[in-house]
Amino acid sequence: SQTIHQWPATLVQPVGSPLSLECTVEGTSNPNLYWYRQAAGRGLQLLFYSVGIGQISSEVPQNLSASRPQDRQFILSSKKLLLSDSGFYLCGMDRPSSEQFFGPGTRLTVL
Amino acid sequence: AQSVTQLGSHVSVSEGALVLLRCNYSSSVPPYLFWYVQYPNQGLQLLLKYTTGATLVKGINGFEAEFKKSETSFHLTKPSAHMSDAAEYFCAVRPLIKAAGNKLTFGGGTRVLVKP
């Protein structure tokens, strides 16, 4: 069965520090992968998606970047965090049955 | 471009009462339609989906939704609320034609509070 792992589960970082969030998937190959952010009191914002290794599409200009170094690994990064980067980050994956499947999320607090 | 509107960011219901969450979408052609539930500090879980066929769709935990093309709606209902239904609910759509990325468009979410 398909599984999405996200690491870490929670993270507290100072403003200006770097960030690396990891998403790995199991049970499938060549999936479409997505990064979303939920800021407090707001809905889901699509940040990046990837249809394959090295292929990244950015949805909104921001302080973040994404990479896909391996087929089942999707990484969200920042060189210098801002307060506004705080939120709940979700990794998603397309299923052949048409819906998206989501990982457990990472709670990021920037102080 | 597609858009999704969920009427009411917060809904309060009594335990045992009807749960009704509204979702309207804007799309030139009927899309695939989804409802997801999110419990605190967890990822999104699929409740139900409409792709083709019967317009009344039954999902997990006693929820169902009806696709009404003429009203461009996909409202979610549950006849009798349970305390465990307290969560945030998201309506989402995606195009029938699989463009690169197959992106979902989400509504703003509705937080459900269940009162004993």
Side-chain angles (χ1 to χ4, degrees), chain B residues 50-72:
Chain B
Y50 171 80
T51 54
T52 59
T55 56
L56 182 61
V57 180
K58 294 187 185 299
I60 62 171
N61 301 339
F63 284 93
E64 63 182 36
E66 186 171 13
F67 167 55
K68 292 188 176 181
K69 182 179 177 180
S70 61
E71 298 177 9
T72 60

Side-chain angles (χ1 to χ4, degrees), chain A residues 60-75:
Chain A
V60 292
Q62 59 211 329
N63 186 42
L64 302 169
S65 62
S67 62
R68 188 163 173 182
Q70 300 180 44
D71 181 46
R72 285 170 279 186
Q73 185 184 34
F74 200 24
I75 297 173

Side-chain angles (χ1 to χ4, degrees), chain A residues 33-74:
Chain A
L33 297 174
Y34 303 81
W35 276 113
Y36 294 88
R37 176 171 62 199
Q38 280 181 294
R42 302 180 66 177
L44 283 149
Q45 180 185 32
L46 178 61
L47 301 176
F48 301 94
Y49 69 90
S50 171
V51 298
I53 295 174
Q55 301 179 66
I56 308 295
S57 294
S58 174
E59 286 296 296
V60 292
Q62 59 211 329
N63 186 42
L64 302 169
S65 62
S67 62
R68 188 163 173 182
Q70 300 180 44
D71 181 46
R72 285 170 279 186
Q73 185 184 34
F74 200 24

Side-chain angles (χ1 to χ4, degrees), chain B residues 74-116:
Chain B
F74 191 54
H75 301 332
L76 180 72
T77 60
K78 181 173 180 177
S80 177
H82 191 273
M83 297 299 291
S84 60
D85 295 325
E88 189 158 21
Y89 294 80
F90 292 93
C91 181
V93 304
R94 82 186 322 166
L96 279 173
I97 298 172
K98 289 188 178 181
N102 224 9
K103 292 177 283 184
L104 281 175
T105 301
F106 283 92
T110 299
R111 190 171 297 278
V112 173
L113 172 66
V114 181
K115 299 177 293 184

